[in-house]
Amino acid sequence: MKARMIVDKSFRIAQVDNRIYGSFIEHLGRAVYGGIYEPGHETADAGGFRSDVKELIKELNVPIIRYPGGNFVSGYNWEDGVGPVTERPKRLELAWRTLEPNEVGTNEFISWAKEVGSEVMMAVNLGTRGIDAARNLLEYTNHPGGTYWSDLRRSHGYKQPHKIKTWCLGNEMDGPWQIGHKTSAEYGRLALETAKAMRLVDPSIELVSCGSSSTGMPTFPEWEAATLDHTYEAVDYISLHQYYGNRDNDTANYLALTLDMDHFIHTVKSTCDYIKAKKRSKKTMYLSFDEWNVWYHSNDADRQIDPWSVAPPQLEDVYNFEDAILVGSMLITFLRHADRVKMACLAQLVNVIAPIMTENGGRAWKQTIFYPYLHVSKYGRGVSLLPIVDSPKYDSKDFTDVPYLDSAVVHNEADEEITIFAVNRHLEEALDLECDVRSFEGYRLIEHIVMEHDDLKAVNTASEETVKPHNRGEAKLDSGHVTARLAKASWNVIRLKKA
């Protein structure tokens, strides 16, 4: 099998916003307690946060982290998580039916995020609360001083404002499972009025309005149209959420699911542009894909967890090799939509459907999906280019004309590097790729990173990392043409640099 690509520096999609490599920490399962925070751990710092986990997060170079939820935020009183820890209340957490001790709250998390080099995307509760709690939290975090809430922050030991820039107006408010679920009209009005109040407190912030919880929602995409009819001029982004799984054990169909993701993005873009035209606006609405991942392995185990315990092992998917391939393709999809997708959050970061896992009192280790996330975060910064692709195709249960080659290209102009990200979806045959890069004169091949494994179901564990990349790929560059054999069912990163 053969595939061809033409890559030209003039064929630009957009500058990649580095925040598409963001992630997510919710007060859910062992994401916080036993994940990023474990005071008794041998690597714990003075604040109780695990240093081994911090080092793995720094390796991923995560630019922004969404917090504190997720479904959790729709029942969360942010005041419970500030002030002296010994005086904080323990609460029944209704979204996931656990007990929340509130040992980690707003200030601790923001300080921790700074240590790992990340900004915070803060979500406000528009489920059980609303305008007042949102404006008060913003005043607490961002106002310099001289007011009740800002002085309260200063009394808690944080004299300088946190200057949180990005704020989510609630979470998945279209979902009947959500505490304080709203109709589109109810949410649109509340989000608009909350946005107005928050911008009066701090005009420099940017706001994310809730989009549909998935493409499967019966109200999609009418929810986007109806809510944006209220919020279009008041917000900067609309959110998208999507999770995939291989419940039918149909890998060919599973690896084609990014075609559904691509359709999701196109539909939301079109809906945003319809509202733009309807309002005769000059403003373009951008997309925040602030929940995405593979999620299905842990569903049965989660049904067996007893309620009202602290940090039970919820949503602890153990990812296999084929999951890593799909995650790579999902990242490729974001790059192809870099003109409109400006933020994205892999949900989540530690233990809960995550690239990083921990043992309580033990090791932290890398899941299979850690590596494509690492590669694209590390090498996918610059300008996303539009490659012209000619690939053989296949049909699956739910999709037709699925290209075996899934690819994106990023030009880092500052470092004079080109990176080709490529997935071979064929489960049985290698794919010979020829890529015309003649517009990049004087470049040389740096490396060809490959993730491959004979067992699509192979997983990593705390004791053994069986799925990991190598740099023994055999790509070659000659006379402005890259040639490479992409192994069957493989993830590939081909890097070129100006000589």
Side-chain angles (χ1 to χ4, degrees), residues 7-222:
V7 178
D8 192 290
K9 64 175 65 177
S10 299
F11 298 169
R12 300 163 62 101
I13 297 173
Q15 181 74 29
V16 175
D17 189 320
N18 294 338
R19 293 178 299 173
I20 68 170
Y21 309 127
S23 194
F24 181 24
I25 289 284
E26 181 173 1
H27 283 249
L28 160 61
R30 295 191 310 121
V32 176
Y33 307 110
I36 64 172
Y37 176 81
E38 191 177 348
H41 195 269
E42 63 179 5
T43 71
D45 62 18
F49 291 92
R50 288 182 57 156
S51 296
D52 58 344
V53 173
K54 282 196 284 188
E55 290 308 308
L56 290 176
I57 295 170
K58 288 178 184 177
E59 186 177 346
L60 289 169
N61 195 13
V62 183
I64 194 167
I65 302 174
R66 187 165 171 249
Y67 176 84
N71 295 345
F72 171 84
V73 79
S74 292
Y76 180 52
N77 299 331
W78 69 266
E79 302 92 336
D80 292 345
V82 299
V85 174
T86 56
E87 298 177 12
R88 297 180 188 177
K90 293 180 173 60
R91 300 284 191 189
L92 293 181
E93 200 291 288
L94 302 184
W96 303 102
R97 303 193 76 218
T98 60
L99 187 65
E100 173 54 52
N102 284 306
E103 292 177 27
V104 173
T106 300
N107 293 313
E108 291 88 1
F109 185 82
I110 293 171
S111 297
W112 171 85
K114 289 177 181 176
E115 290 182 18
V116 299
S118 296
E119 298 178 10
V120 175
M121 179 192 294
M122 186 72 76
V124 299
N125 178 356
L126 294 190
T128 60
R129 306 188 80 183
I131 301 169
D132 213 37
R135 67 163 180 151
N136 292 344
L137 174 57
L138 178 58
E139 181 183 320
Y140 180 90
T141 60
N142 284 22
H143 198 70
T147 67
Y148 176 81
W149 292 110
S150 60
D151 285 347
L152 184 63
R153 181 199 71 242
R154 292 169 67 91
S155 75
H156 292 157
Y158 297 85
K159 293 185 178 181
Q160 298 302 316
H162 295 308
K163 298 181 180 179
I164 301 300
K165 178 182 179 182
T166 309
W167 295 78
C168 297
L169 297 170
N171 173 76
E172 295 186 354
M173 301 309 299
D174 64 322
W177 59 86
Q178 201 69 210
I179 300 169
H181 162 64
K182 306 284 191 293
T183 66
S184 59
E186 290 169 338
Y187 173 74
R189 288 285 301 129
L190 177 59
L192 170 61
E193 296 304 321
T194 304
K196 285 162 57 178
M198 292 178 73
R199 289 200 189 277
L200 289 171
V201 175
D202 185 350
S204 71
I205 60 173
E206 54 184 16
L207 296 171
V208 184
S209 179
C210 283
S212 295
S213 302
S214 75
T215 55
M217 296 300 292
T219 53
F220 172 75
E222 175 57 29

Side-chain angles (χ1 to χ4, degrees), residues 328-340:
S329 277
M330 294 171 87
L331 288 158
I332 283 172
T333 303
F334 295 145
L335 289 173
R336 288 203 299 258
H337 290 281
D339 58 329
R340 295 295 287 272

Side-chain angles (χ1 to χ4, degrees), residues 312-481:
Q314 292 172 300
L315 281 67
E316 296 200 3
D317 275 37
V318 175
Y319 292 116
N320 58 36
F321 175 54
E322 68 182 12
D323 297 330
I325 297 174
L326 183 64
V327 164
S329 277
M330 294 171 87
L331 288 158
I332 283 172
T333 303
F334 295 145
L335 289 173
R336 288 203 299 258
H337 290 281
D339 58 329
R340 295 295 287 272
V341 177
K342 298 299 182 179
M343 295 189 289
C345 300
L346 176 71
Q348 295 188 17
L349 190 52
V350 183
N351 287 331
V352 174
I353 48 175
I356 299 168
M357 297 294 290
T358 70
E359 299 172 313
N360 288 349
R363 298 182 57 192
W365 50 280
K366 302 173 182 178
Q367 292 235 59
T368 61
I369 66 170
F370 182 95
Y371 289 106
Y373 182 26
L374 169 69
H375 294 151
V376 184
S377 176
K378 191 173 182 179
Y379 303 122
R381 303 192 181 216
V383 175
S384 179
L385 300 180
L386 179 64
I388 308 303
V389 179
D390 180 15
S391 169
K393 299 175 181 178
Y394 70 97
D395 295 340
S396 70
K397 179 170 67 72
D398 296 320
F399 304 96
T400 57
D401 292 329
V402 182
Y404 282 114
L405 174 65
D406 194 16
S407 61
V409 182
V410 175
H411 179 203
N412 186 326
E413 295 171 301
D415 294 340
E416 295 186 301
E417 291 185 3
I418 314 165
T419 303
I420 300 167
F421 301 102
V423 165
N424 178 9
R425 291 186 172 112
H426 204 295
L427 304 181
E428 297 173 357
E429 293 184 32
L431 181 64
D432 287 329
L433 171 65
E434 179 185 328
C435 184
D436 183 339
V437 293
R438 284 178 293 175
S439 75
F440 295 93
E441 291 186 33
Y443 278 66
R444 60 183 176 85
L445 186 73
I446 302 174
E447 63 179 339
H448 177 187
I449 303 168
V450 182
M451 274 186 74
E452 57 184 335
H453 203 284
D454 288 335
D455 182 4
L456 290 166
K457 309 299 183 182
V459 301
N460 293 342
T461 66
S463 59
E464 186 177 11
E465 189 173 78
T466 59
V467 181
K468 57 186 177 181
H470 63 77
N471 61 358
R472 300 188 303 275
E474 298 180 351
K476 295 179 174 62
L477 174 61
D478 184 38
S479 301
H481 289 79

